[in-house]
Amino acid sequence: MPEDISPRGPRHVAIIMDGNGRWAQARGRPRLFGHHAGAKRVKEIVRACKPLGVQYLTIFGFSTENWKRTQAEVAGLMSLFRQYIRKEARGLKAEGVRVRFIGDRVKLDDKLRALMDELEEMTAGNDEVHLTIALNYGGRDEVARATQRLAQDVKAGHLDPDDVNEETLPKYLDTCVLPDPDLVVRTSGEARISNFLLWQSAYAEYEFIDTLWPDFSKEEFRKLVDAYSARDRRFGALSA
């Protein structure tokens, strides 16, 4: 085992990438400048995962609430997502990264959805790092959509109502093929989870840090992974 990898380190890290706008404004630049800087930071953190033993990385790209932002910013973000996929697709495939998207795709434009589908298919055979990008995602929305699908199966007779429990619902979530996150990080100094992975993070460890996302480095990522490794995770039980 490489010395960088801790046997007790987080297998799955989820990140709320916050602070792009403030980072740009502090430099007298428009908010979209910060979003572009943040997109570049994603590449560095994805590459840092494997040496640290992080197999799954989930990032919060665009929430169901982000549609409330200005039309110009939303349009700019959608353009950035398309650019990111086109630019990074080959590199992600070559580096063994498997990409998945979670969230409600219906509201996204056709070109973006097509690129998302293409990237998922292109990287489907990869297994070095599993990168999940949440686009038009909200935890409550995800649970509501999952419950609708579950109810449809009950109605159709595919599922007995008596078999519905806390192990059944996760099979209908967007993240059904992923392990729950071990560590959830939010950058920019805000101490809230913003409707992100509500069900999945029930027993996750949280880190709220002051660093703005474009300044979040692989060195700081390593420190958070190391700090997690020192925690005593009891999942409601007592220490041995």
Side-chain angles (χ1 to χ4, degrees), residues 33 35 54 79 88 99 106 120 143 146 169 171 186 210:
F33 178 76
H35 293 309
V54 176
S79 176
E88 301 297 336
V99 182
V106 174
E120 286 182 324
V143 172
L169 183 60
K171 298 175 182 178
R186 182 177 185 135
D210 292 334

Side-chain angles (χ1 to χ4, degrees), residues 60-67 78 81 100-110 112-113 116-117 120 132-146 148-149 172-175 195 197:
F60 205 177
F62 189 88
S63 77
T64 50
E65 291 76 29
N66 285 157
W67 296 104
M78 294 301 145
F81 297 144
R100 296 181 178 89
F101 293 92
I102 58 173
D104 186 356
R105 304 189 188 197
V106 174
K107 198 171 181 179
L108 302 175
D109 68 70
D110 292 343
L112 178 55
R113 289 203 303 269
M116 291 162 63
D117 291 342
E120 286 182 324
T132 302
I133 303 173
L135 289 184
N136 194 30
Y137 174 87
R140 289 182 174 180
D141 176 74
E142 178 190 27
V143 172
R145 288 186 287 105
Q148 288 177 342
R149 291 192 291 271
Y172 292 83
L173 295 174
D174 296 351
T175 57
N195 200 17
L197 301 179

Side-chain angles (χ1 to χ4, degrees), residues 48-234:
C49 284
K50 186 179 178 180
L52 294 176
V54 176
Q55 294 175 278
Y56 295 84
L57 177 68
T58 299
I59 57 176
F60 205 177
F62 189 88
S63 77
T64 50
E65 291 76 29
N66 285 157
W67 296 104
K68 300 174 185 177
R69 297 187 179 185
T70 67
Q71 185 176 356
E73 184 170 356
V74 170
L77 283 166
M78 294 301 145
S79 176
L80 174 59
F81 297 144
R82 292 191 295 269
Q83 291 175 35
Y84 176 84
I85 294 174
R86 291 191 184 102
K87 182 179 179 181
E88 301 297 336
R90 290 185 180 179
L92 289 165
K93 181 180 180 180
E95 293 178 22
V97 179
R98 178 165 188 173
V99 182
R100 296 181 178 89
F101 293 92
I102 58 173
D104 186 356
R105 304 189 188 197
V106 174
K107 198 171 181 179
L108 302 175
D109 68 70
D110 292 343
K111 289 183 179 179
L112 178 55
R113 289 203 303 269
L115 286 168
M116 291 162 63
D117 291 342
E118 183 180 346
L119 182 56
E120 286 182 324
E121 183 177 354
M122 180 188 301
T123 61
N126 288 349
D127 195 37
E128 294 291 331
V129 175
H130 293 255
L131 171 64
T132 302
I133 303 173
L135 289 184
N136 194 30
Y137 174 87
R140 289 182 174 180
D141 176 74
E142 178 190 27
V143 172
R145 288 186 287 105
T147 305
Q148 288 177 342
R149 291 192 291 271
L150 187 153
Q152 289 168 357
D153 277 355
V154 170
K155 183 179 180 180
H158 302 314
L159 181 66
D160 190 319
D162 291 336
D163 292 333
V164 177
N165 53 44
E166 64 180 79
E167 295 181 356
T168 308
L169 183 60
K171 298 175 182 178
Y172 292 83
L173 295 174
D174 296 351
T175 57
C176 60
V177 298
L178 303 175
D180 288 343
D182 304 297
L183 174 65
V184 179
V185 177
R186 182 177 185 135
T187 60
S188 87
E190 303 292 347
R192 58 181 180 271
I193 59 176
S194 295
N195 200 17
F196 184 51
L197 301 179
L198 298 180
W199 179 281
Q200 300 88 335
S201 299
Y203 281 99
E205 300 290 324
Y206 279 84
E207 287 282 2
F208 299 102
I209 61 174
D210 292 334
T211 307
L212 301 178
W213 174 248
D215 290 328
F216 185 70
S217 65
K218 61 183 180 181
E219 289 76 22
E220 189 159 11
F221 190 35
R222 177 192 294 274
K223 290 178 182 178
L224 293 175
V225 169
D226 289 344
Y228 170 94
S229 302
R231 295 189 182 195
D232 180 17
R233 305 190 74 210
R234 299 188 297 274

Side-chain angles (χ1 to χ4, degrees), residues 28-45:
R29 304 296 296 272
R31 290 176 58 85
L32 280 173
F33 178 76
H35 293 309
H36 280 272
K40 293 178 182 178
R41 184 61 59 188
V42 169
K43 185 173 183 178
E44 178 179 343
I45 299 306

